[in-house]
Amino acid sequence: MIQLQRLEGFYWVARCEGYARAARAFPYPITQPGVHQQVRRLEAELGVRLFERIGKDRVVLTPQGRILYDAIAPFYEALPALERSLRSGEIGGRLRIHASGHVLRHLLPPWLRRLRGQRPDIEVALFEAKTPAVAALRSGEAELLVDHLPEVPSDLEARQVGKTRAFLVVPSIPRPQLKGPVTPVPWRDEPFIAYSSDTYLRELQLAALAHFGVVPRRIYAADSAETILGFVAAGLGYSLLASVEPRGPRVPGVTALPLTEPARQFPLYVAWRRTPQPNPLIAALLALAPSS
């Protein structure tokens, strides 16, 4: 295994074409014999000559030395800029964000456009989650989740970035008095389309129906709000959904109407793991977050 310290000596000699000049160029104090010793030990490790002397105080790379220099020079040349970036916190990289399908389509796009405009060095990978991806944060699979959280776990930090409002969604067929706010009572005998994978949201739906004295006689189950809306558009039933859009979900074949009561709003959070060292990529995204 090549020792990095010896590679450093080799790099500076190759760059300066001399041992004395390399010692003066080093980022920390070192003597000319010290630099020479690093290179000699590296040559002994590799079993090849790396430099050829062409003058009293000038050396040039051998073909083997040129191959090694071309491989390591980009690393050493990038170090000063990398150090400045690390110290200032302005580093690029990749953020993995898990969010619900509705948030991915309606809340994140303008937010990420602002990020791209100011920090094109930050890449974002988006993943759709059927339920809030708390486990993905804890395992390190994701840096952020954006979703509704019934409560924020103690090992996470969070900031509210939006809110949703509950809407009754029904097929867009001619009906009398389709003007909101409304109650679900007129649809009580029709099939209700509920969440299947997210038990918390399903319980919220059924509790809201119970508030109006409605107990569904038939229930269809769907994994996501988009699937529920597809069922409603097909005329298979009605549902209750939360939406960040002021007028509710806008889908062909679906009419969205605000409920008379309870006029509940649900906060949307961006959440991340609580760590001793803040992630500068997360800080850059939070600086551009929408107001709640």
Side-chain angles (χ1 to χ4, degrees):
M1 178 69 70
I2 297 176
Q3 293 190 19
L4 292 180
Q5 185 182 30
R6 295 172 187 173
L7 281 178
E8 187 178 23
F10 163 77
Y11 166 76
W12 285 107
V13 173
R15 180 173 175 177
C16 300
E17 295 189 339
Y19 290 95
R21 288 187 293 274
R24 291 194 295 269
F26 249 74
Y28 54 85
I30 190 171
T31 64
Q32 179 179 339
V35 178
H36 193 271
Q37 187 179 57
Q38 288 182 0
V39 173
R40 291 299 300 271
R41 288 179 175 176
L42 179 60
E43 289 179 327
E45 277 184 332
L46 298 175
V48 296
R49 293 289 301 276
L50 299 173
F51 293 103
E52 177 186 356
R53 183 172 295 278
I54 62 172
K56 181 179 178 181
D57 60 352
R58 185 166 179 252
V59 294
V60 295
L61 291 165
T62 64
Q64 294 87 346
R66 172 57 61 183
I67 293 173
L68 181 60
Y69 180 78
D70 289 344
I72 70 167
F75 169 76
Y76 283 104
E77 290 167 2
L79 277 179
L82 178 60
E83 180 182 2
R84 290 193 297 271
S85 295
L86 290 172
R87 291 183 183 279
S88 67
E90 292 189 1
I91 59 174
R94 189 169 187 255
L95 280 176
R96 296 165 296 176
I97 302 176
H98 286 234
S100 66
H102 187 71
V103 167
L104 286 174
R105 291 162 179 78
H106 301 288
L107 179 68
L108 281 174
W111 185 2
L112 295 182
R113 279 197 296 271
R114 292 194 295 273
L115 179 68
R116 184 180 64 182
Q118 294 195 21
R119 294 295 304 275
D121 57 325
I122 298 178
E123 174 190 353
V124 176
L126 300 174
F127 302 88
E128 183 171 354
K130 301 300 183 185
T131 58
V134 173
L137 287 186
R138 288 173 172 159
S139 68
E141 182 183 344
E143 283 75 42
L144 295 162
L145 73 82
V146 186
D147 212 330
H148 169 65
L149 294 172
E151 58 183 45
V152 179
S154 60
D155 59 332
L156 301 184
E157 295 189 64
R159 178 189 299 183
Q160 185 175 345
V161 291
K163 55 191 174 185
T164 63
R165 182 181 177 187
F167 288 86
L168 178 75
V169 289
V170 299
S172 296
I173 58 178
R175 293 177 183 270
Q177 300 179 347
L178 273 184
K179 292 185 178 181
V182 297
T183 76
V185 173
W187 289 270
R188 65 190 312 160
D189 294 328
E190 298 187 24
F192 182 75
I193 304 170
Y195 284 101
S196 58
S197 56
D198 193 324
T199 56
Y200 171 74
L201 291 180
R202 181 187 179 97
E203 290 171 0
L204 282 179
Q205 288 177 311
L206 297 180
L209 292 179
H211 175 82
F212 293 100
V214 174
V215 178
R217 297 183 181 180
R218 288 175 293 168
I219 294 180
Y220 293 154
D223 279 340
S224 66
E226 283 65 31
T227 306
I228 289 175
L229 290 169
F231 282 10
V232 173
L236 297 177
Y238 75 103
S239 190
L240 297 175
L241 290 177
S243 176
V244 299
E245 299 178 271
R247 295 187 297 167
R250 314 304 294 176
V251 175
V254 175
T255 297
L257 301 164
L259 291 175
T260 54
E261 51 153 339
R264 291 194 61 184
Q265 293 183 340
F266 302 94
L268 292 173
Y269 294 100
V270 55
W272 61 98
R273 283 188 304 120
R274 190 183 300 275
T275 58
Q277 182 71 34
N279 185 330
L281 302 184
I282 293 177
L285 184 68
L286 294 178
L288 301 171
S291 59
S292 57

